[in-house]
Structures are given as structure tokens and as C-alpha cells.
Amino acid sequence: MDIQIILDHVNSVYTDKDTVSGKVLLETATPIDISTIAVRLSGIAISRLNGKRSSEVHKILRRTQVVFPPKQQLDSALGQKFTLRSGTHEFPFSITFPHFAECFKLDPHEDDLAASCARVRLSKRLPSVHLLRRLPPSTGTSNDIAEVKYSVNVVIKKPGLFKGTMKMSRDIFLNPLSEPTSQQEPVFQQQQQQPITIDPEISNFSSAPSFLLSVQLLNGSSLLQTLPLPLRITLTKQTTFTCPAILKNFQTMVVEHTHTDVNNSPSYHRQCWIVQTMSNMHEVVGDPDAPAGAELNLSNALWSSRPLPPKLVSSFETCKIKRSYELRLKVRFQFGELPKVRF
Ligand SMILES: [Zn+2]
């Protein structure tokens, strides 16, 4: 007997607003007896201790649809067997993602699909503390301290002398839609300022050139994966002087922070993702003769063609795993032209 899971989404990538639909293809060369065929949409969040084998698993999604026997026969079909003739059989399914992680729920189909037909609730003990949050994105591998993975599973139960269970699984990927950004976010969360003052003895100017470097996130503290960084970078002249401000280096980096907890033992992992690095530049910022108080803007052409790295997933918090990000900007300016060297 051959079992296949055919998904309607060819690339197996879903958002949390999607429905996972498709069909189970069952091909058999001889007639077979079947009790039930069920499709389960599963998701698990695994937190691991850094460098150790200890882990904690939360079943954040377990939604099951019995696709055979038909729904109208399901209640009376407990313990019955059905014979499928030789050939290819198709069983369509359709399961929608929930709005929130559901590991606080008990799944009546968890261990025994036959029991589910009689609507018997199981009393299996699960980890007792769960978070009611949006489903997290697929992320990580078995080597990481945090892993979230989703799959579609088929469970076929056979009755009688050859009683047993056949299973088939196929991985899918969840990339939840971004939540709308808050327009009410305080300005201090959207903007960072750094004063820059050049010692006149070093710079050889009569008065100390002074700037205020201001970096602003135009959409609040949210970044969208496929779009360039919504940055506004400004140098505000604090004093009157005429030397040019020249941008020499420019780098943007996203720092990923992952916190996990395994049976009350916390673990932490940090990873840096370079978005863009430019060096040995000679970009004059604004008009060198601008008066004090003038704002000199860096051109957004510098970063507008650089979206975030595609492997980044959205920030999330689920049972025992929290992922957040920090944007770091490094800039280096030169004030005034360096004297030309002649040989
Ligand atoms: Zn949980």
C-alpha cells in the first residue's frame, strides 16, 4: 500500500490565516480493511538547553479531521471495518490554522482515533503552564535551542487480526502575517539620538563643530521582511561652521535574541544578521555652508535596496521560547576634507 499527501499549496508555505487543504492518496494492489483514516495538522515548539540534551516539548497545534469513514457514518462506525477495493483512493481534507497556540487543549484524537469516534476525552497529562499567543513561525533545526515545526500527518487504523496503525507525515512551513503596527508608539521608542562634538584642537577649527545624530524608525519598532529598513537618519548642526560632513562607513545589523526555558533552566542564544555593510565611502551629507540648526539628511538610497535577510522570522513568544530582535546601526563620519598628499 502506498500513501501520499498531496497539498493544494505547492510550496508548503502558509500564513496563519490559511487553510491547509489537499488530499490523501491511497494506492493498494489488493483489497484492504480500514477502520479510520485521519489527517492531523500538528505543530510543536521545542526548547533546548544550550549544549545539553535536555528539552521541553509543547504541542502548540493538534487539529484532526477524520476523512474516512464519511462524517455521517462516523458515530456508528466505532469498531467497524471497511474494505477498500484495489486501486487508487482519494480522501480530501481541509484544516484551518487556529488564531492562537492550542497546547492547553486536550486533543480527543491524540492516541486513539477509535476513541475519538465515541467522543471519549483522554486524561493525558501535559505540561501545565502554557502561553495563549499567536502561533509562532517555523524556525530552527534539531541543533538549535529553539525549534518550531509544523506537519501534516495521516494516520490509518487497520482492524482485525492485522490490527495496527500506518502513519505518513509531511512537513509544512508557517510564516504568520505581520500584526498592524501601533501608531501610538512613544517617540522615544522610534528614535535614538547621539550628540557628536569634535575637539577644535584636533580638528583645527576655531570653534567646536557639533552635530546631533538622529536615527528614526518611520514605522515604529516594526520591520517588514520584504521591505527596506524604514530609516530616517539626520545630522542636525548644533553650531555654525563650514566643514563638510562626509559619510565613510555605513552598516546595519539585526541582532536576534532567543530565550528558552527547559524545566525552569533558562538558556539564551544570540545571532547577528548583517543587512548591509558599506566602507571607504565618500558621501558628503547636506550643504557644508548650512547654518546652525540645519538638518542634513542621509540619502535613503543608501539602504532602500536592502531588505532584511530572508532567513529571519518574525518576533514571537510561545511556550518556553521567546524571540526578539534589535536593530544596530554603525556609521562613521569624517568632518572636513583631509589634506591631499603629494609625492
Ligand atoms: Zn504549551
Side-chain angles (χ1 to χ4, degrees), residues 2 15 30 41 45 51-52 56 74 78 101 108 113-114 136 143 169 177 194 196 202 230 233 243 256 275 335 339:
D2 183 46
T15 74
T30 57
L41 185 57
K52 296 184 180 174
E56 185 171 327
L74 196 56
L78 181 62
L113 289 169
N143 295 321
S169 179
L177 294 173
Q194 175 74 46
I196 304 171
I202 297 173
I233 304 174
C243 74
E256 177 186 284
V275 181
F335 291 92

Side-chain angles (χ1 to χ4, degrees), residues 18-34:
D18 285 335
T19 294
V20 180
S21 61
K23 58 191 175 189
V24 176
L25 273 187
L26 192 155
E27 195 172 344
T28 176
T30 57
I32 53 165
D33 291 337
I34 296 287

Side-chain angles (χ1 to χ4, degrees), residues 45 56-60 101-104 126-132 318-320:
E56 185 171 327
V57 178
H58 284 247
K59 297 178 180 180
I60 53 177
E102 294 184 331
C103 57
F104 59 90
L126 294 172
S128 57
V129 179
H130 305 286
L131 283 185
L132 188 64
T318 193
C319 298
K320 303 302 182 85

